[in-house]
Amino acid sequence: MDNHFDVIVIGAGAAGLTAGIYLSRAKVRTLILNEGAVGGQMVLTHEIANYPGVHSISGYELARNMKTQAQNFGCTIKSNLRITSFDLSGDVKKITVNEKDIYTSHAVIISTGGRSRTIGAVGEDTFKGKGISYCATCDGDFFQDKDIIVVGGGNSALEEAVALTKYASKVTVVHQFDHFQAFSHYVDEAKKNPKISFIMETAITEFIGSEKLSSVRLKNLKTGDIMAMNIDGVFIFIGYVPNTEKLEGIIELNEWKEIKVDAVMKTNLPGVFAAGDSIAKKYRQVTTAVADGTIAALSAADYINNLITRS
Ligand SMILES: Cc1cc2nc3c(=O)[nH]c(=O)nc-3n(C[C@H](O)[C@H](O)[C@H](O)COP(=O)(O)OP(=O)(O)OC[C@H]3O[C@@H](n4cnc5c(N)ncnc54)[C@H](O)[C@@H]3O)c2cc1C
């Protein structure tokens, strides 16, 4: 019975840790299984300055606080492992870890988060968080009166380019095609903003700097011409990838591979809930992940209570 829990939470980011806090505090026996480091995207975030009630905190510290809080209520957390199979269809859910360890539960919460799509240019990994950002809401404020680039041509890129003009002195939108994929009202708004200029049919091929990003190399995709540009920051909005690859064919996903949930975070499978950045939603923040995790936990607890009442 050591490997049997009331609820198994998959993923220990903000959503999963919040679910762990709520469930364990309600004396629901809970296990969190996490691939990678506990904290998820929070630990990639140098400073979080928009978590209500906390003026400023490093993502690492916020994650550590959430982890300790969950463990203090009795939540078991296992990390740096690999989930090798999910059996979520029956009344007893079965999760296999590292091909040999089997954990079972009555309910499962999936909170596997996601990642921003990257360009794949030289230096991108080096300057992530040191001039390169994938989140205007999170990092825009750090680029007050700075000269920045926004990469992308969809709704997010143009909407965020306009939003970033609140902080930056100059925003250059760099896009690989000669036209935008964004809705025309986003394009019109960006075009009439005096702080925004556009470089079309162009891609960043290299990020350059020492401690922080200081310039980029740009390639004109039509002519092949290369040019260098000094820059304080680059915001990349070329799409988002939910971490749901292992769940394809197991639970219902939408066309963007996000998990479909209802208002109380139920998926299409009884006893399976989902929360955080891996679900279908528009705004991805720590606060929204925490809210989803809370709702999923309360729904899972309710599901377990109903099972007990029926049996
Ligand atoms: C650079 C950066 C800066 C940001 N800054 C801010 C900010 O300032 N303010 C703010 O509110 N938001 C910010 N965000 C967004 C915020 O961090 C996320 O919206 C939030 O943390 C998502 O939490 P989550 O729990 O849904 O997912 P995640 O944080 O992605 O956590 C998911 C966890 O699940 C694990 N996992 C993935 N697949 C599996 C699997 N198959 N099995 C088991 N485990 C798995 C992952 O390793 C990870 O630990 C930022 C994001 C980034 C990338």
Side-chain angles (χ1 to χ4, degrees):
M1 287 301 278
D2 271 2
N3 281 4
H4 183 77
F5 291 80
D6 294 323
V7 180
I8 296 178
V9 179
I10 312 292
L17 290 169
T18 303
I21 291 167
Y22 271 78
L23 288 164
S24 302
R25 189 162 187 245
K27 308 285 180 218
V28 177
R29 206 163 164 253
T30 304
L31 167 69
I32 304 182
L33 295 172
N34 186 62
E35 290 189 353
V38 171
Q41 293 171 67
M42 281 188 292
V43 297
L44 304 176
T45 311
H46 173 65
E47 182 190 4
I48 295 180
N50 54 5
Y51 193 76
V54 182
H55 290 293
S56 168
I57 189 166
S58 77
Y60 176 80
E61 201 182 341
L62 186 59
R64 195 187 53 193
N65 290 350
M66 288 187 190
K67 178 186 174 189
T68 313
Q69 199 174 356
Q71 286 174 324
N72 287 349
F73 286 125
C75 184
T76 307
I77 302 176
K78 292 180 187 284
S79 58
N80 294 311
L81 45 77
R82 202 163 55 87
I83 296 191
T84 41
S85 85
F86 290 92
D87 179 355
L88 303 178
S89 55
D91 283 347
V92 176
K93 319 294 179 196
K94 211 189 286 179
I95 313 284
T96 310
V97 168
N98 298 337
E99 276 162 7
K100 55 183 175 43
D101 303 322
I102 295 175
Y103 297 93
T104 56
S105 63
H106 295 297
V108 165
I109 296 175
I110 296 164
S111 50
T112 49
R115 57 201 189 267
S116 297
R117 202 179 292 282
T118 57
I119 296 177
V122 177
E124 189 171 359
D125 280 343
T126 310
F127 294 107
K128 264 181 202 166
K130 295 176 189 161
I132 300 178
S133 170
Y134 303 84
C135 177
T137 313
C138 318
D139 299 330
D141 188 35
F142 304 129
F143 292 87
Q144 203 76 47
D145 301 321
K146 302 282 188 199
D147 193 350
I148 62 169
I149 283 175
V150 165
V151 178
N155 290 334
S156 298
L158 293 188
E159 194 181 1
E160 301 296 26
V162 171
L164 285 163
T165 59
K166 277 188 290 186
Y167 312 104
S169 52
K170 187 167 174 256
V171 176
T172 306
V173 175
V174 173
H175 185 41
Q176 59 178 330
F177 300 123
D178 63 356
H179 61 281
F180 293 109
Q181 289 78 42
F183 293 140
S184 58
H185 61 271
Y186 288 128
V187 179
D188 294 344
E189 213 187 319
K191 282 189 172 165
K192 68 176 190 240
N193 191 309
K195 284 187 175 179
I196 300 181
S197 59
F198 302 90
I199 301 181
M200 306 300 283
E201 295 181 89
T202 297
I204 294 180
T205 55
E206 190 175 349
F207 295 93
I208 302 158
S210 51
E211 292 285 289
K212 285 173 113 184
L213 178 73
S214 57
S215 67
V216 290
R217 212 179 295 282
L218 297 163
K219 181 178 182 183
N220 183 305
L221 299 173
K222 206 168 165 196
T223 63
D225 289 349
I226 303 280
M227 72 165 189
M229 188 170 167
N230 290 336
I231 207 77
D232 299 307
V234 175
F235 284 78
I236 299 169
F237 303 110
I238 55 169
Y240 179 79
V241 189
N243 294 326
T244 55
E245 290 88 346
K246 290 185 177 176
L247 295 157
E248 280 185 52
I250 296 176
I251 57 170
E252 204 179 340
L253 307 177
N254 68 12
E255 60 189 300
W256 297 287
K257 312 285 182 208
E258 299 160 334
I259 303 168
K260 286 168 107 174
V261 288
D262 68 8
V264 292
M265 304 296 148
K266 278 187 201 164
T267 69
N268 63 311
L269 295 179
V272 181
F273 306 84
D277 281 13
S278 56
I279 68 168
K281 66 175 179 179
K282 181 164 179 186
Y283 299 112
R284 293 186 162 91
Q285 289 285 282
V286 176
T287 47
T288 59
V290 161
D292 298 341
T294 306
I295 297 167
L298 296 174
S299 294
D302 198 34
Y303 177 83
I304 303 274
N305 282 338
N306 284 337
L307 283 184
I308 296 167
T309 321
R310 267 192 276 137
S311 60

